[in-house]
C-alpha cells in the first residue's frame, strides 16, 4: 500500500506540468473556439483534465497525506472530471499508438495531404519536419495518456478507500 502511494505521488507530480501545458493550450484553443463554437467541446474536455489534475492533487496533499476532511464537492469534482479525463487519455493512447505503429509511407501520405491544404506555409516547413513533429507529439501524448490512465484509475480507487475523508 505504501509503495502504491509513493508511485501515486510520483505520478501526481508528473501530471502537474502536463496539466499546466494543457491549461495553456486550452486558453489558446478557447480563443480560437470563440470564432468556431464547435471547438468548445475540446476546450471543455481539456479543461476537465486540468481540473481533475489539481482536484486530485488537493485530495492527495490535504486529504490523504494530512488526513484533513475534504468537502463532498471535491469528491464530485474529482469523479466527474476523472471520467472525462479517462476518455481523453484513452484517446491520447489510442491515437498515439496508431501513429507510432504506422509505417512512414502511410504517414508521409497523410503529411503530404496536410501540406497541400496549407498553401501559405513557409518553405522551411518540410514534410520530413512535419513527420518528425507528428511522431514527437505522439510520443508525448502516449506518455501523457499512460500516466493519466494509471493516475485516474488509482485516484478513483483512493477516493473509494478514503471515503471517510469526505464530509
Amino acid at each position: 500500500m505504501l509503495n502504491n502511494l509513493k508511485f501515486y505521488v510520483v505520478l501526481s507530480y508528473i501530471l502537474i506540468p502536463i496539466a499546466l501545458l494543457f491549461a495553456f493550450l486550452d486558453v489558446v484553443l478557447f480563443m480560437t473556439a470563440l470564432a468556431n463554437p464547435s471547438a468548445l467541446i475540446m476546450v471543455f474536455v481539456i479543461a476537465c483534465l486540468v481540473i481533475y489534475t489539481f482536484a486530485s492533487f488537493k485530495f492527495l496533499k490535504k486529504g490523504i497525506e494530512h488526513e484533513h476532511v475534504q468537502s463532498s464537492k471535491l469528491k464530485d469534482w474529482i469523479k466527474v472530471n476523472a471520467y472525462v479525463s479517462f476518455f481523453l487519455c484513452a484517446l491520447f493512447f489510442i491515437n498515439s499508438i496508431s501513429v507510432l505503429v504506422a509505417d512512414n509511407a502511410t504517414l508521409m501520405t497523410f503529411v503530404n495531404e496536410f501540406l497541400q491544404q496549407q498553401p501559405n506555409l513557409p518553405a522551411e516547413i518540410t514534410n520530413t519536419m512535419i513527420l518528425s513533429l507528428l511522431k514527437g507529439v505522439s510520443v508525448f501524448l502516449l506518455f501523457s495518456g499512460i500516466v493519466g490512465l494509471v493516475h485516474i484509475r488509482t485516484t478513483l480507487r483512493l477516493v473509494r478507500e478514503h471515503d471517510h475523508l469526505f464530509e
Side-chain angles (χ1 to χ4, degrees):
M1 175 68 179
L2 188 58
N3 286 336
N4 288 341
L5 191 57
K6 287 181 182 179
F7 181 66
Y8 179 70
V9 170
V10 170
L11 286 178
S12 296
Y13 279 104
I14 291 172
L15 203 54
I16 287 175
I18 293 171
L20 289 172
L21 174 66
F22 280 119
F24 172 74
L25 294 175
D26 204 33
V27 170
V28 172
L29 186 60
F30 177 71
M31 297 303 175
T32 60
L34 293 176
N36 181 11
S38 63
L40 283 173
I41 189 73
M42 200 61 203
V43 171
F44 166 75
V45 171
I46 293 172
C48 286
L49 179 65
V50 174
I51 293 167
Y52 160 77
T53 300
F54 290 104
S56 65
F57 191 73
K58 180 180 179 183
F59 168 63
L60 169 66
K61 296 312 266 179
K62 291 186 177 180
I64 295 174
E65 289 182 358
H66 292 104
E67 295 284 328
H68 293 150
V69 175
Q70 303 294 303
S71 71
S72 61
K73 288 182 181 181
L74 179 65
K75 180 180 178 181
D76 295 339
W77 276 101
I78 291 171
K79 289 177 102 175
V80 168
N81 288 296
Y83 295 127
V84 177
S85 298
F86 191 86
F87 170 74
L88 180 64
C89 290
L91 284 178
F92 286 169
F93 180 80
I94 292 167
N95 287 334
S96 297
I97 292 292
S98 67
V99 168
L100 294 172
V101 299
D103 59 9
N104 282 346
T106 304
L107 292 175
M108 197 55 83
T109 304
F110 171 74
V111 168
N112 288 334
E113 289 175 11
F114 170 76
L115 288 175
Q116 287 175 354
Q117 295 172 0
Q118 307 296 326
N120 298 331
L121 286 178
E124 296 86 28
I125 298 179
T126 64
N127 52 3
T128 308
M129 178 190 290
I130 298 291
L131 181 62
S132 64
L133 183 65
L134 177 65
K135 287 187 174 188
V137 169
S138 294
V139 168
F140 172 73
L141 290 178
L142 178 64
F143 176 75
S144 300
I146 291 170
V147 168
L149 290 171
V150 173
H151 191 274
I152 292 165
R153 183 177 171 272
T154 307
T155 298
L156 292 175
R157 183 179 50 79
L158 288 171
V159 165
R160 194 172 46 253
E161 287 176 5
H162 293 85
D163 195 44
H164 63 278
L165 293 175
F166 296 101
E167 55 182 27

